[in-house]
Amino acid sequence: MSTEANAPSPSPSAGEEKPGRITLVAALNALEGAALALGGVYMLVMGLLGRPDSPQQAEMGGLTLVALGLIPLFAARGLLLRRSWSRGPALITQLMALPVAWTLLRSQGALIPAGIVLAVVAVTGLVLLVDPATTRALGIRGPRGTPDA
């Protein structure tokens, strides 16, 4: 009996080395996911222990942020494992970050630098995700069944 028959199927580009851009975009997604989840935990704790105007609203907001933080974290893991499905949630995360960055940029004080950082992270993530090398590394095919170039 051959050991090759029992071997797990390789990832789309198993013979090729993983491009550094995949690791970078996975790290950016993980950073965004962790920030959302930590913000959610903070809101949840403040809703439970603090004295917010509306504890129920703080708790629900916290749970929502934790749940939303899981999406880019799963996408980051998928990107590191070179799963083609992971590009969709990663793209959505970056697209959703742009209006948040715009809102922060239009505010005052310390929120402006946070908006700049978020905008840079989101645009960098988008550029890396639509790069043809990333598409090829994830095994995503073009409309005619050929790898996107």
Side-chain angles (χ1 to χ4, degrees):
M1 183 170 198
S2 168
T3 58
E4 290 177 20
N6 296 333
S9 61
S11 64
S13 304
E16 301 172 21
E17 184 177 322
K18 181 173 17 182
R21 66 182 47 86
I22 291 204
T23 304
L24 178 58
V25 76
L28 292 175
N29 271 274
L31 177 68
E32 290 170 321
L36 280 168
L38 288 174
V41 168
Y42 174 78
M43 281 181 70
L44 189 58
V45 168
M46 293 309 293
L48 293 171
L49 302 177
R51 301 216 184 265
D53 291 337
S54 171
Q56 294 85 6
Q57 189 174 9
E59 293 161 9
M60 186 53 73
L63 288 173
T64 301
L65 283 180
V66 169
L68 288 174
L70 294 175
I71 295 169
L73 288 172
F74 285 130
R77 184 175 186 277
L79 287 167
L80 286 175
L81 296 173
R82 295 171 76 179
R83 304 289 190 248
S84 60
W85 63 261
S86 62
R87 191 173 96 156
L91 280 169
I92 291 169
T93 298
Q94 304 316 314
L95 290 172
M96 295 298 291
L98 291 174
V100 175
W102 177 253
T103 302
L104 292 173
L105 287 170
R106 296 187 48 126
S107 61
Q108 298 176 3
L111 295 177
I112 293 173
I116 293 169
V117 170
L118 183 56
V120 168
V121 167
V123 170
T124 301
L126 282 171
V127 169
L128 291 172
L129 285 165
V130 298
D131 186 273
T134 303
T135 303
R136 278 191 304 275
L138 292 173
I140 297 172
R141 303 246 176 233
R144 294 191 177 114
T146 59
D148 281 345

